[in-house]
Amino acid sequence: MKQTVKRQARTVPLVLSVSMLVPALAACSGGDSDDTNNRRTLRIGMMYGSADNESYVRQQYTDMYELAHPNLDFEFVNAIDYSDMQYSSREEQMKFNAQDPIEKLKAIMTGPNPVDVIMLDTGTMGKLVEENLLKPLDSLIKEDKVDLDAYLPNVLDSLREQGNGQLYGLSPTFSSSALFYNKKLFQKAGVNPPTDGMTWDDVYNLAERMKSGSGKDAIFGLALNDWSSGLDYYNVTNIAAPLKLRMFDEKAENMTVDTDQWEAVWKRPIELYKNHAIPGPEDLQPEQPQDGSYRYNQFDNRPFFTNRVAMMIGSYGMTNDLKTYNDNVGKMKGKEAIDWDVVTYPVQSQAPDMSGSMYLDQLTAINAAAANPDDAWEFIKFINGKESAKFKARSTYELSTLKEFAQPKEGQSFHIEAFYQLKPLNVSSSDSDQKLYREMPNLNLISSLAQPSFQKALSGKLSVREALAEWQKNGNELLPKIKADPTGNLDISAYMDYGDGMSSPRAMVMQAAGG
């Protein structure tokens, strides 16, 4: 009986808060929101989706708005429905993947029953703008006196670039990574900590200055990701993203990786790994007591939480993990608090204002052929506005695009501007590249060929340029096979020789050095 009373007591404030919220939202919208005789449907188009994830999308974007607008129904239309291939054969899945997502999206925008709102990414938005398929928002923004100064300027600048100077879409949130650093380690070493706007070469040089000691006392300069240490081809791919280097030509007939540009991208991080400025998987393995007293700790295998890594690339979500760690460090035997801060994600000198790690998560735009453009704009205005941002700001993994809510969580103090000072990277490939990958899905195998060659360069079995030449040679042998069999099961095992049959990059380095 007491438990029932407690549950009811907890429920009352929730019911009251929701009941108070609904009129508030209704007040912010059109005056006929409660007119059930004026029932309408707002159709939202998405590039990908399925019925399985619709409830999540509704929770994220429409439930709160629908609660305040009982006369408005939401209908989701997926240009490509994942459930169509869920139980398909491999051949059918290949055909599914060969579909042109832009053309499928255009079909639900221009058909007999067009969608009203489009949820999309920046690259897709740019293509739709070129074909005049989206409604510009500038006049609506001006008419409703939407305060654009409240938004992060780099986000708006990026969106305007995709719209040839105009705004065609807005995004309520974004995800981003930055360079975390350990203040105590820099102070102890007498080295100035990293600053905003540093290039990757700057960070590499700083990492080498920060490495010291050996064995259990070793301090490492840089870790490229959380949860794991080491270095592989995919880490380097992320670093090089703003350079937009090609693996093969526009006809997918010849490889293009045996170049000075690719060599420069691989060379420095490999040098840092060999010099132990970047730790390997074996370097930070926690010691486990032999008496059976070991208890799992989620932070044990995460490089930055050992207080032995000076800098690390981490996402915004890591700020919350660091707070959790420092709040509970007193309960962890042998652990100490981390004094940390962040600076902007390292840049390439050729793209000094571009972050390779900032992404607009869900752009919303109005279909130029929308049957219900007024409701579409009211909805977009709401999910990108202050009322919605109050709730989005509670997220532990993404940030609000509104300045007021892009702030550290209560009780934290760090340089949060580092997560949004740079511009988001437009990661979309050219139309010709997208067409090639759709027509020949096996082109994805070319990237897989890079890892064995990269590991040989890491071990010293090959020089960087020799490793790139090997990747190019193997790729040139595979490309004709891909063209002849673009969707079949191609055996690439002959190209997956890692050198010594060893899976550990550090072990390969040690063996090459005679250790």
Side-chain angles (χ1 to χ4, degrees):
M1 178 67 179
K2 290 181 179 180
Q3 290 180 345
T4 302
V5 172
K6 287 181 180 178
R7 273 198 227 75
Q8 290 174 339
R10 284 197 299 266
T11 304
V12 170
L14 176 63
V15 172
L16 288 175
S17 64
V18 171
S19 64
M20 294 170 65
L21 176 64
V22 172
L25 296 182
C28 297
S29 60
D32 64 348
S33 63
D34 293 323
D35 182 4
T36 54
N37 294 321
N38 186 22
R39 192 160 203 86
R40 303 180 300 281
T41 297
L42 189 65
R43 305 184 80 231
I44 298 181
M46 305 184 71
M47 182 81 82
Y48 300 98
S50 70
D52 293 340
N53 73 341
E54 185 174 311
S55 61
Y56 171 78
V57 176
R58 285 181 178 273
Q59 289 170 11
Q60 289 291 303
Y61 297 104
T62 65
D63 279 355
M64 187 162 57
Y65 192 79
E66 195 171 1
L67 190 64
H69 298 76
N71 61 326
L72 194 63
D73 297 316
F74 283 87
E75 180 183 343
F76 287 86
V77 183
N78 300 309
I80 295 180
D81 195 322
Y82 285 126
S83 60
D84 290 343
M85 73 165 187
Q86 190 169 6
Y87 305 105
S88 303
S89 65
R90 187 178 188 280
E91 289 72 20
E92 290 171 329
Q93 289 179 5
M94 286 295 189
K95 290 179 181 178
F96 179 90
N97 292 332
Q99 299 178 99
D100 185 337
I102 302 293
E103 291 302 318
K104 297 286 286 186
L105 186 63
K106 286 160 60 175
I108 65 173
M109 296 175 65
T110 59
N113 189 16
V115 296
D116 302 299
V117 174
I118 303 293
M119 288 189 170
L120 67 176
D121 57 57
T122 52
T124 302
M125 184 177 76
K127 291 179 176 61
L128 297 180
V129 167
E130 290 175 2
E131 299 188 38
N132 298 315
L133 293 175
L134 297 179
K135 181 180 177 67
L137 304 181
D138 296 81
S139 61
L140 298 172
I141 289 170
K142 184 177 180 180
E143 182 179 344
D144 285 358
K145 296 181 173 60
V146 176
D147 182 15
L148 292 182
D149 289 336
Y151 292 82
L152 297 173
N154 279 344
V155 169
L156 293 183
D157 288 347
S158 178
L159 294 174
R160 284 194 178 99
E161 287 176 6
Q162 294 297 316
N164 298 317
Q166 287 188 291
L167 284 175
Y168 284 86
L170 293 171
S171 178
T173 59
F174 66 95
S175 58
S176 182
S177 293
L179 183 68
F180 290 73
Y181 68 94
N182 187 310
K183 292 183 181 180
K184 181 179 177 180
L185 291 181
F186 277 93
Q187 292 168 356
K188 187 177 179 180
V191 176
N192 290 330
T195 57
D196 289 336
M198 294 183 78
T199 66
W200 276 105
D201 284 335
D202 294 332
V203 172
Y204 293 152
N205 293 336
L206 194 55
E208 288 204 314
R209 292 183 64 193
M210 285 302 297
K211 75 178 181 69
S212 65
S214 60
K216 298 177 184 177
D217 299 321
I219 299 296
F220 303 93
L222 175 67
L224 292 173
N225 54 72
D226 195 9
W227 292 101
S228 64
S229 52
L231 179 67
D232 61 27
Y233 163 72
Y234 300 102
N235 297 143
V236 176
T237 298
N238 293 334
I239 292 171
L243 301 176
K244 300 183 179 179
L245 300 180
R246 298 188 63 90
M247 289 185 290
F248 44 78
D249 62 24
E250 294 181 356
K251 294 183 179 179
E253 293 177 346
N254 296 288
M255 293 288 291
T256 58
V257 298
D258 188 6
T259 65
D260 293 344
Q261 291 83 0
W262 275 100
E263 183 180 18
V265 165
W266 281 26
K267 189 172 183 180
R268 287 290 282 133
I270 286 177
E271 288 176 349
L272 262 65
Y273 186 84
K274 289 180 177 180
N275 294 337
H276 291 261
I278 293 177
E282 296 81 8
D283 291 320
L284 299 173
Q285 287 294 323
E287 289 189 11
Q288 298 185 11
Q290 302 301 311
D291 59 4
S293 61
Y294 174 75
R295 293 180 60 190
Y296 170 75
N297 185 326
Q298 64 163 315
F299 300 107
D300 278 345
N301 293 311
R302 300 174 69 180
F304 197 72
F305 292 87
T306 64
N307 262 308
R308 293 174 59 201
V309 174
M311 298 179 288
M312 195 198 78
I313 298 297
S315 67
Y316 169 69
M318 192 174 159
T319 64
N320 300 284
D321 292 344
L322 282 161
K323 183 178 188 305
T324 298
Y325 177 88
N326 282 342
D327 286 348
N328 293 279
V329 71
K331 306 170 189 176
M332 307 177 200
K333 186 177 179 180
K335 307 290 185 183
E336 58 181 271
I338 300 171
D339 187 10
W340 62 276
D341 211 331
V342 288
V343 295
T344 54
Y345 191 86
V347 299
Q348 294 290 346
S349 56
Q350 298 91 324
D353 63 344
M354 200 70 64
S355 171
S357 73
M358 183 177 176
Y359 305 99
L360 300 179
D361 293 318
Q362 196 62 72
L363 280 167
T364 47
I366 301 176
N367 183 8
N372 193 0
D374 293 339
D375 280 325
W377 168 238
E378 289 299 323
F379 171 67
I380 288 175
K381 190 168 61 172
F382 171 74
I383 67 171
N384 288 281
K386 186 173 180 178
E387 293 300 323
S388 180
K390 289 178 182 178
F391 296 91
K392 293 288 185 182
R394 296 171 182 169
S395 172
T396 59
Y397 63 91
E398 60 185 1
L399 283 157
S400 172
T401 54
L402 284 171
K403 296 176 188 176
E404 180 181 351
F405 300 99
Q407 302 294 333
K409 297 289 190 298
E410 187 176 351
Q412 289 185 299
S413 177
F414 59 90
H415 178 44
I416 196 168
E417 294 84 358
F419 289 98
Y420 57 76
Q421 277 188 7
L422 301 174
K423 290 183 181 178
L425 177 66
N426 178 11
V427 296
S428 64
S429 302
S430 67
D431 290 337
S432 60
D433 284 347
Q434 291 180 354
K435 186 171 185 291
L436 283 173
Y437 277 104
R438 286 194 305 271
E439 293 175 347
M440 297 185 286
N442 277 336
L443 280 175
N444 290 293
L445 297 174
I446 295 297
S447 184
S448 301
L449 299 185
Q451 183 65 7
S453 297
F454 185 88
Q455 293 293 71
K456 290 175 187 176
L458 204 59
S459 72
K461 186 175 179 67
L462 296 176
S463 70
V464 169
R465 199 54 181 259
E466 288 170 341
L468 289 166
E470 179 185 76
W471 181 20
Q472 177 139 319
K473 174 181 175 294
N474 292 339
N476 281 333
E477 290 179 4
L478 188 60
L479 284 172
K481 298 176 183 178
I482 292 173
K483 186 157 285 191
D485 189 1
T487 62
N489 285 310
L490 290 182
D491 181 7
I492 63 170
S493 59
Y495 303 110
M496 304 304 286
D497 174 19
Y498 280 74
D500 298 301
M502 305 179 70
S503 59
S504 163
R506 180 68 75 198
M508 294 172 70
V509 172
M510 294 297 291
Q511 183 177 15

